[in-house]
Amino acid sequence: MGGAAAMGGLYAAAKVIEPVAAVAQSGGQGGKADIIIENAKVVTLDPKTPRAEAIAVAGDKIVGVGPRRDLEQFRGPATKIVDAGGRTVIPGLNDAHTHFIRGGLTYSQEVRWDGVPSLALALQMLKEQAARTPAPHWVQVMGGWTPHQFKEKRLPTLAEINAATGDVPCYVMHLYDRGFVNKAGLRALGWNRDTPDPFGGVIARDGSGMPTGLVIATTSLVSLLSVFGKIPKLSPEDQVTSTRHMMRELNRLGMTSLIDAGGGGQNYPEHYQAIAKLAADKALTVRIGYTLMAQRPGREIEDYKGWLATAKLYEGDDYFRLSGAGEYTVWAAGDNTNFAKDPIRQPPIMEEKLAEVLTFVAQNGWPFRMHASFDFTAQRILGVVEKVHKEVPVDKLRWGLEHCEGISARSLERLQALGGSLGIQNRMSLDGEAYVEKWGMDAAADAPAFARIREMGIPYALGTDGNRAASHNPWVGIEWLVTGKTVGGLRHASDRNLLSREEALKAYTANGAWITREEDKKGTISVGKWADIAVLNEDYFAVPESRISQMSAAMTMVGGKIVHGEGAFASLAPTALAVAPDWLPIKHYAGYGRQASVDFGPRFAGLGSGPDDGAHRMVIEGRGSDRKSGSRASGR
């Protein structure tokens, strides 16, 4: 990880280096591949074999990487040959901090505004969805967007939301900043002038004291999530299906792994039943490392003592495994996630409570990760970790701080001395404008300070923080790392803090594997590692910087199984999941909205034809069955 800076010229150098084959020992002893991907521009991120033309896969592992002629030894009568058509092939993406387990349960219900280019289109989506949403369900937009992405450069008004949705309840949440409840929603909630303000927020009221529908978070995101908690949910069975749909969308984006950071109201084990069922049924198409997050403020030690009595670190399998504690180990140690507001000052009891929990989990050998957006928070957490470390060494646990947009040089030095790492997310890509307005451009230039982090050799990995605080699309974060720009076009990062495309890719692949102690199994395209691979629709190293966020995969493989395929690769992938009931938004809207606006024609660019045009069906329907062994799929 400390050599991340050296990755900058890897791909450029690889262009003039003749590929060298890396093969498994069994290959020379008659072992044959199940699949060979050839005619590819393989970027392995493995310094031993940085560039290749072909990949041989046997079972769930990579057995050969190199020139096609050198992998001929793996070809047998049943080997399936996949022609990549000259496409760029990368290791499957790994989101090192997301909230997938929670987000998957409601994904199919949500109207996703991620990347939608105009407020007019966003409101049109609300209008269409209101027309098909049956009672008692709501139209809901649960984050991942910013008004700065809209050409109008503003938030919707309550009047606009009411006009679009009419008598159908609707809730629109903007990050963890504010929420909009329409008139029908206020009636469904039963709010009136006697309704108290929610914990951590305020309800805007008119001159007579009646709620207007605007809810503003002041000190806690709980104020917004308490509204969401009252919205009718899908049945348990449909929640499982919703999770499968979200996995398919992640696969379409080239993602093969993630670290789930837990969440409020996500108690173990009861709220893990849907994902555990999918894991037991061998139905997961992304690998999940999950952390356990304390649920009861003030009683966190009871949560962890109860969990550690039955749960074992790294229990599970290669697709679903417990990887530690966090991102909140003690609620009093966290800070707010709204860059426009002052950081929350933690209560004096925080240190005592945090020391108790960290000592306990460290004694049991558990890694832990803690939310700290601002340096004030990081300083106090580090003070506790330093105290705990004197009694129970933590420097080998691969523990870390999460977010860290405002972390200072001194705090980085303290973190490094304790063997800590950083989990960084691309929230600045959505909320950078608010950060600049509140803290100034000089502070935003180092939010975060990648140049210093790389120079010090501190391990770091990137995540999306999806799908409320940011989009679940990792390419949004990769574009932000490369350009230093928000999705609204504001360049906030200094030149010294930009990452090369190779470094950005590594941050979303190999670096996350290190966090979960799986660097020997995934993160690079290397012999002996899992065959977790993405064949991209476009050349990541050649597309304009402004198009990186619109990248996707033509084919995605996890553990040697093709889990996503489109176009020439569609027949190799599983058939599309049926969307039921028909009113669900995912049946009517493509994936990441910004890509849809660019790639899928007038429906998304100009509010033209209806929601079920053929371009959209190409995204969510029409997957064929696997080809027979030995067949060839051309990607040309």
Side-chain angles (χ1 to χ4, degrees), residues 12 34 41 71 80 94 98 109 128 174 235 276 484 523 532 539 553 591:
D34 297 309
K41 292 164 47 177
L71 301 190
K80 182 182 297 182
N94 183 359
T98 188
Q109 287 179 280
E128 294 173 354
H174 171 236
S235 69
D532 297 353
D539 185 354

Side-chain angles (χ1 to χ4, degrees), residues 426-447:
N426 59 282
R427 293 188 310 162
M428 286 291 288
S429 67
L430 270 74
D431 220 14
E433 286 84 357
Y435 196 99
V436 169
E437 183 176 353
K438 175 67 177 177
W439 306 101
M441 185 60 82
D442 287 346
D446 280 328

Side-chain angles (χ1 to χ4, degrees), residues 278-404:
L278 288 169
D281 292 344
K282 306 299 182 184
L284 294 181
T285 60
V286 292
R287 303 184 190 275
I288 302 170
Y290 63 95
T291 58
L292 298 186
M293 174 172 159
Q295 296 297 308
R296 295 181 291 175
R299 301 173 64 186
E300 294 91 347
I301 189 64
E302 297 176 29
D303 283 340
Y304 284 111
K305 285 184 176 180
W307 292 335
L308 268 69
T310 57
K312 299 185 183 302
L313 184 65
Y314 302 131
E315 71 177 354
D317 58 22
D318 293 340
Y319 282 83
F320 186 61
R321 66 200 295 261
L322 175 59
S323 59
E327 70 178 293
Y328 278 38
T329 53
V330 169
W331 280 80
D335 56 23
N336 60 328
T337 56
N338 191 328
F339 293 147
K341 294 181 173 64
D342 291 330
I344 295 172
R345 301 288 171 168
Q346 292 79 17
I349 199 173
M350 184 276 278
E351 279 82 0
E352 177 186 339
K353 291 291 186 180
L354 184 59
E356 180 182 33
V357 170
L358 295 189
T359 298
F360 177 72
V361 298
Q363 285 173 338
N364 284 273
W366 276 42
F368 53 88
R369 308 201 69 81
M370 290 172 292
H371 176 118
S373 294
F374 298 98
D375 191 59
F376 180 85
T377 307
Q379 289 179 36
R380 291 186 63 180
I381 290 174
L382 288 168
V384 175
V385 179
E386 288 165 345
K387 178 181 177 181
V388 171
H389 180 64
K390 292 178 181 178
E391 300 181 15
V392 184
V394 302
D395 55 334
K396 306 299 182 185
L397 292 182
R398 298 195 186 182
W399 71 277
L401 299 181
E402 295 291 314
H403 305 304
C404 300

Side-chain angles (χ1 to χ4, degrees), residues 41 152 350 362 393-394 428 456 515 522 552 563 565 578 604 625:
K41 292 164 47 177
E152 296 90 344
M350 184 276 278
V394 302
M428 286 291 288
M456 295 175 69
I515 294 290
K522 64 183 182 182
S552 63
V563 296
F604 291 95
S625 59

Side-chain angles (χ1 to χ4, degrees), residues 36 45 172 178 182 199 218 233 236 389 391 467 474 519 567 569 612 629:
I36 293 177
L45 298 182
V172 175
R178 66 190 64 197
N182 72 347
F199 172 81
T218 54
K233 302 299 188 289
H389 180 64
E391 300 181 15
N467 59 347
E519 67 269 29
F569 305 98
D612 292 318
S629 298

